[in-house]
Amino acid sequence: MFTADMRTLTELVRSVKAIVMDERNVTQREEKGAFDYVTMVDLEVQKHISGALTKLYPDCQFMGEEGQHLSLDLDRPTWILDPIDGTTNLIHHHPQCAVALALMVRREIALGIIYSPFTDQLFTAERGKGAFLNNRPIRVSQIRSLSGSLVSVGTTPYHKQYARSDFAVMADIFQRCQDIRRGGSAALDIASVAMGIADCFYERILMPWDYAAAKVLLEEAGGKMTDCQGDPLPLGLPSSCLASNGLVHEEMLGFTERICALPA
Ligand code: 2AM
Ligand code: CA
């Protein structure tokens, strides 16, 4: 069974702080798809982490947002990296962004690390060993219904053709819950559910690097993550995501199932 040293990995992930905080790296950017951006920060962070991981663990494959991964065999151990989750926030100097690293072994996420360089929040989880924020255990909330919930959402900004129908569903959720939040980094949004400061989160389309690290963190914190129809996530592939404290999952599915059913 493939294993990796958590202390080495957290040091590696934290070591990118200087790259992220360097304003020159933020200003050099391109639009790689509609409303979907890449900066020199994304590219340099991925280069730094993938280079180190390849040296440390030569037998493990690498999947990162800023690269090609068509030929990967998902049955083999695979690193899954988002060098910056929340790039749109980063280019606006909004601090809600993070580096997210996961290890997938036998199509299960074995560990996850989410690090926010602006706030120095470090979320860590290994399967079966609990979930932590800066080495302190975290736990999901105990809220049992949407009427008492703070609901975090993703707006799928790179596919704005869904906006009218998705925002109509969001309006129905808004009527039922206490309030809605939109953070802009799926990894940190799901981490917020894991630490109990939000009760659930959903987004129509996420990539594997957006949700992989957060999945093990949330599950180790007592939460639940499925796609928006309640089915298991197809790890390593794009999917919709519903992340919750477990207690409001069914009630949320009553709304998010409609998102999946909507035509493009
Ligand atoms: P990113 O900042 O790493 O690109 C915002 O709604 C969330 O969606 C962020 O976590 C963002 O990650 C992610 N995201 C951005 N572009 C995306 C795309 N083309 N497909 C799926 N997720 C995307
Ligand atoms: Ca990214």
Side-chain angles (χ1 to χ4, degrees):
M1 173 80 170
F2 181 86
T3 54
D5 177 50
M6 212 45 181
R7 187 182 291 238
T8 307
L9 293 172
T10 53
E11 275 170 21
L12 174 61
V13 169
R14 290 175 91 126
S15 73
V16 304
K17 179 166 177 159
I19 302 173
V20 181
M21 307 302 267
D22 186 338
E23 177 59 27
R24 289 166 302 178
N25 288 331
V26 181
T27 48
Q28 292 183 58
R29 60 176 172 259
E30 281 174 29
E31 194 169 356
K32 59 183 176 179
F35 303 99
D36 192 4
Y37 305 97
V38 60
T39 72
M40 195 56 85
V41 175
D42 303 66
L43 300 173
E44 289 297 314
V45 169
Q46 178 155 326
K47 196 163 89 182
H48 180 78
I49 293 183
S50 68
L53 288 176
T54 308
K55 273 193 199 141
L56 285 166
Y57 305 101
D59 296 335
C60 194
Q61 305 179 110
F62 180 83
M63 176 193 288
E65 176 167 13
E66 313 307 339
Q68 296 295 324
H69 15 76
L70 299 174
S71 58
L72 292 182
D73 172 3
L74 297 180
D75 288 319
R76 285 184 46 212
T78 306
W79 296 111
I80 303 178
L81 174 73
D82 193 341
I84 289 292
D85 187 47
T87 302
T88 304
N89 282 342
L90 179 75
I91 65 183
H92 287 274
H93 308 283
H94 189 298
Q96 184 83 350
C97 55
V99 183
L101 177 67
L103 173 64
M104 180 165 70
V105 180
R106 293 189 190 144
R107 293 197 182 245
E108 197 38 274
I109 306 300
L111 65 84
I113 299 170
I114 301 168
Y115 173 56
S116 171
F118 291 96
T119 62
D120 270 326
Q121 286 181 307
L122 178 74
F123 295 92
T124 51
E126 285 177 273
R127 179 81 47 205
K129 296 187 183 174
F132 300 87
L133 166 56
N134 295 342
N135 293 320
R136 294 199 175 157
I138 54 172
R139 197 81 202 145
V140 292
S141 71
Q142 292 304 304
I143 303 288
R144 295 193 159 271
S145 76
L146 275 186
S147 60
S149 290
L150 194 55
V151 177
S152 175
V153 299
T155 52
T156 319
Y158 28 85
H159 294 293
K160 289 194 175 170
Q161 70 271 28
Y162 299 120
R164 276 186 200 287
S165 45
D166 283 5
F167 278 53
V169 172
M170 200 188 297
D172 289 347
I173 295 172
F174 178 65
Q175 298 292 350
R176 188 72 67 88
C177 72
Q178 279 191 346
D179 205 350
I180 280 182
R181 295 288 179 269
R182 169 27 173 182
S185 158
L188 287 175
D189 293 340
I190 299 166
S192 297
V193 180
M195 67 187 286
I197 61 171
D199 306 296
C200 56
F201 163 82
Y202 72 95
E203 187 151 13
R204 173 190 271 270
I205 304 168
L206 288 176
M207 301 303 278
W209 41 84
D210 297 323
Y211 68 77
K215 180 175 188 288
V216 62
L217 181 82
L218 178 66
E219 290 172 350
E220 287 298 314
K224 181 170 177 177
M225 201 154 142
T226 64
D227 71 12
C228 281
Q229 289 179 303
D231 292 322
L233 291 172
L235 297 179
L237 298 170
S239 178
S240 64
C241 282
L242 171 60
S244 81
N245 66 0
L247 302 171
V248 300
H249 211 86
E250 280 303 315
E251 196 177 352
M252 275 300 289
L253 279 172
F255 295 93
T256 61
E257 274 168 352
R258 282 167 51 205
I259 284 177
C260 297
L262 291 168

